[in-house]
Amino acid sequence: QQETLKAELNLLKSQINPHFFFNTLNNLYGLAIAKSDLAPEVIHKLAQMMRFTIYDGRKDSVSVAEEIAYLENFIELNQIRQQHRIAIQFHQSIENPEQRIPPLLFINLLENSFKHGVETLSAEPFIEFTLSTNSKAISFAIENNFDAQVLEKNKRQRGQGGLGTENVQRRLALLFPNKHQYRSETIGNRYRAVVQIDLS
């Protein structure tokens, strides 16, 4: 049974954000054509993310500091791709940067905030999220705005999907059975998701 669970966890981790890499490579191609000074920076950040996903993503745990660096690289690459038009706030309350946590646990929720939020808006997109970690608990909350009509149109074109959210919930169930909470809500044009994990 444990081997089956481990295989499923590995499968879930392998499903994370392949289209992000394709989108970033397309963006990098455009920067290279334009001979932009941003191209080397994008290459460096993308290489760091790929290294983390391929090697550290296979591990059972990584440090909080490593996970945050991965999230920050993801944010910066999307900011470059979106020409820094997004208002992003990343609040951190970290007791011990070397604390070990499962890798790639929150990237799906962050990616969804871009895919289903930022990319549906032509003006004033925002993302606000908070990561808190200590020896007893991990919590993560993210909020973004969106255009409901554009989002619905995108869903019809792409299919309902929902893989990212399902991935997060299934990984939480496998890694922290009966020791976590996941909830989400939509109020007007704002979406909010919260994850709380009990480590005690």
Side-chain angles (χ1 to χ4, degrees):
Q1 185 179 16
Q2 288 199 355
E3 286 298 318
T4 301
L5 291 178
K6 186 173 182 179
E8 183 170 357
L9 276 173
N10 287 335
L11 176 62
L12 289 169
K13 286 192 287 187
S14 74
Q15 293 173 340
I16 291 169
N17 69 25
H19 71 269
F20 164 74
F21 289 118
F22 288 120
N23 288 341
T24 305
L25 285 171
N26 284 332
N27 182 242
L28 179 58
Y29 175 76
L31 292 174
I33 291 294
K35 294 182 168 50
S36 170
D37 293 337
L38 289 173
E41 179 184 357
V42 171
I43 292 171
H44 178 65
K45 290 185 179 298
L46 184 60
Q48 287 182 313
M49 289 193 67
M50 291 183 72
R51 185 180 300 111
F52 185 89
T53 303
I54 293 169
Y55 296 108
D56 294 322
R58 296 176 181 269
K59 298 177 182 177
D60 292 331
S61 67
V62 296
S63 71
V64 172
E66 290 172 318
E67 185 75 9
I68 287 175
Y70 180 80
L71 295 173
E72 288 178 336
N73 278 336
F74 179 83
I75 291 168
E76 183 57 30
L77 285 176
N78 274 285
Q79 283 282 48
I80 291 171
R81 190 163 67 89
Q82 297 288 339
Q83 300 180 332
H84 292 268
R85 70 183 184 93
I86 314 159
I88 297 183
Q89 297 183 54
F90 186 3
H91 307 290
Q92 302 172 29
S93 177
I94 309 302
E95 183 179 78
N96 176 15
E98 297 307 312
Q99 179 180 344
R100 309 298 290 184
I101 62 174
L104 305 168
L105 193 57
F106 306 113
I107 187 63
N108 288 113
L109 296 179
L110 179 57
E111 187 175 22
N112 278 350
S113 69
F114 283 96
K115 181 179 178 183
H116 302 305
V118 168
E119 294 180 11
T120 69
L121 293 162
S122 58
E124 299 183 349
F126 80 85
I127 298 172
E128 182 174 356
F129 61 110
T130 303
L131 176 63
S132 301
T133 63
N134 58 52
S135 60
K136 295 182 179 180
I138 301 170
S139 64
F140 183 87
I142 188 160
E143 183 174 346
N144 62 269
N145 56 347
F146 64 94
D147 184 312
Q149 290 184 331
V150 175
L151 181 59
E152 186 60 33
K153 179 182 176 182
N154 290 346
K155 284 183 177 180
R156 288 197 301 268
Q157 292 175 344
R158 299 171 179 169
Q160 290 299 312
L163 178 63
T165 303
E166 291 176 5
N167 191 325
V168 171
Q169 294 183 70
R170 184 57 181 158
R171 283 194 73 200
L172 288 169
L174 290 171
L175 291 166
F176 306 103
N178 304 315
K179 302 274 282 186
H180 74 277
Q181 291 184 338
Y182 173 93
R183 62 184 186 276
S184 63
E185 61 179 357
T186 301
I187 301 176
N189 70 331
R190 295 190 174 201
Y191 174 82
R192 178 174 173 82
V194 179
V195 174
Q196 294 177 309
I197 299 168
D198 181 8
L199 301 178
S200 61

